[in-house]
Each structure stands twice: as structure tokens, then as C-alpha cells.
């Protein structure tokens, strides 16, 4: 029934039978056909992929000793303190000290403020400064309790200009 669905040429059928027997060495006529027919060559690759290969045994401790074997094969690298001479370290330390000191003195030169604030002397303060968050409703409530004579005296006193205080 499969032959009716997929007609296979006689050369391909004999090559496929030879591949089923031994995909590694199918014989000379099959090898010649595999070079000419890509479908049969692909079938050979599929058969080779499906063939079971015996497990290769590794010696005991092979993977445990692998890193040290690789490190032994690498060239030895000298230590950092052997690559740089003491003179190089002295030059680097001097340069670092010079940069640090220069940055420190540059910061010290710019520390003076442009504007200095001065506090007034207590003798100069004649009236208390306005305190933030102070409730001004109490002052307005005191004005409402004044009688008409006291209110007119207060308005006269507010109308007269007072001398500026220092």
C-alpha cells in the first residue's frame, strides 16, 4: 500500500535496503547512488542519527582534574608586584598625592561666601518680628471688644505719623 502512495525508483529502493543493513558501509553501488541522489543521502544521514553508539567511558577523575590540567598548559603570568617596578609605584603615589592636595586647596580657596549675613544687635530691635504661623484672629477679637471712645482714640493714634525708629 505504501508503494502505491509513494512510488520509489528501483535504484533508490536497493540503496535504502543496503542502508538499513549498514548505514556506515552500504557497498559500492549504494555509495555511487548516494552521490547522485540527495533524497537517499538524506535518508542515510537519518539512519546514522538513529543508530545507537556505545557510551564512551572516561577515566576516573577526568572531569575533576580537567581545570588544573588546563591551567598547567597556560603560560605563567607574573604577579602584579613583579610587573611594576617600585619606581612606578612611587610615581603613582606622588601623582595621587599631588592631585589630592590640589583638589583640597582648590576647595579651600572657594569657601568664603559672597554675601555674609549679620544679625542685628538687640538694641536695634524695637518691635518684635512677625512670627510665622501666629494666629491673628485674637488681635481682631480685641478690636471688637473696644467701646466707641476707645475705638476713636485708637483711630486717631493710627492716623498720626510716627517718627521712624532705628
Amino acid at each position: 500500500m505504501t508503494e502505491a502512495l509513494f512510488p520509489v525508483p528501483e535504484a533508490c529502493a536497493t540503496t535504502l535496503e543496503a542502508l538499513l543493513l549498514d548505514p556506515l558501509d552500504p557497498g559500492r553501488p549504494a555509495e555511487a547512488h548516494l552521490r547522485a541522489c540527495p533524497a537517499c543521502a538524506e535518508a542515510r544521514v537519518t539512519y546514522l542519527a538513529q543508530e545507537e553508539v556505545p557510551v564512551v567511558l572516561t577515566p576516573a577523575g577526568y572531569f575533576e582534574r580537567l581545570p588544573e590540567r588546563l591551567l598547567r598548559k597556560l603560560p605563567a603570568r607574573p604577579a602584579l608586584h613583579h610587573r611594576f617596578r617600585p619606581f612606578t609605584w612611587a610615581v603613582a603615589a606622588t601623582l595621587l598625592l599631588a592631585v589630592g592636595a590640589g583638589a583640597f586647596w582648590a576647595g579651600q580657596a572657594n569657601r568664603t561666601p559672597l554675601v555674609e549675613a549679620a544679625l542685628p544687635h538687640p538694641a536695634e530691635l524695637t518691635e518684635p518680628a512677625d512670627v510665622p504661623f501666629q494666629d491673628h484672629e485674637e488681635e481682631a477679637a480685641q478690636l471688637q471688644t473696644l467701646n466707641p471712645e476707645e475705638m476713636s482714640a485708637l483711630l486717631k493714634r493710627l492716623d498720626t505719623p510716627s517718627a521712624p525708629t532705628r
Side-chain angles (χ1 to χ4, degrees):
M1 183 167 183
T2 57
E3 292 179 11
L5 294 176
F6 302 109
V8 179
E10 184 62 33
C12 290
T14 57
T15 304
L16 289 176
E17 288 175 10
L19 286 176
L20 282 174
L21 295 176
D22 186 13
L24 288 174
D25 188 22
R28 286 191 167 199
E31 290 280 344
H33 178 76
L34 287 172
R35 286 189 205 106
C37 181
C40 291
E42 185 176 336
R44 180 182 187 189
V45 171
T46 306
Y47 288 143
L48 286 171
Q50 293 174 353
E51 187 173 313
E52 292 185 21
V53 179
V55 178
V56 178
L57 297 176
T58 58
Y62 176 80
F63 292 106
E64 289 81 13
R65 287 177 288 166
L66 183 64
E68 72 181 46
R69 284 198 323 264
L70 288 175
L71 287 175
R72 273 188 280 148
K73 290 181 180 182
L74 293 175
R77 191 174 116 202
L80 184 63
H81 67 277
H82 291 295
R83 285 190 292 181
F84 292 113
R85 311 256 174 186
F87 177 73
T88 309
W89 289 109
V91 168
T94 305
L95 182 65
L96 184 64
L97 185 65
V99 169
F104 174 75
W105 289 114
Q108 289 291 326
N110 294 328
R111 289 197 54 174
T112 56
L114 298 175
V115 177
E116 291 186 12
L119 291 174
H121 293 289
E124 293 178 4
L125 294 175
T126 55
E127 53 187 64
D130 191 22
V131 180
F133 308 113
Q134 186 178 11
D135 190 16
H136 295 288
E137 291 179 6
E138 294 175 5
E139 296 170 1
Q142 289 177 359
L143 287 175
Q144 292 176 354
T145 59
L146 295 177
N147 60 21
E149 291 105 21
E150 292 173 340
M151 183 67 78
S152 62
L154 177 66
L155 288 174
K156 286 180 186 176
R157 193 169 44 162
L158 289 175
D159 286 340
T160 60
S162 61
T165 57
R166 282 193 171 197

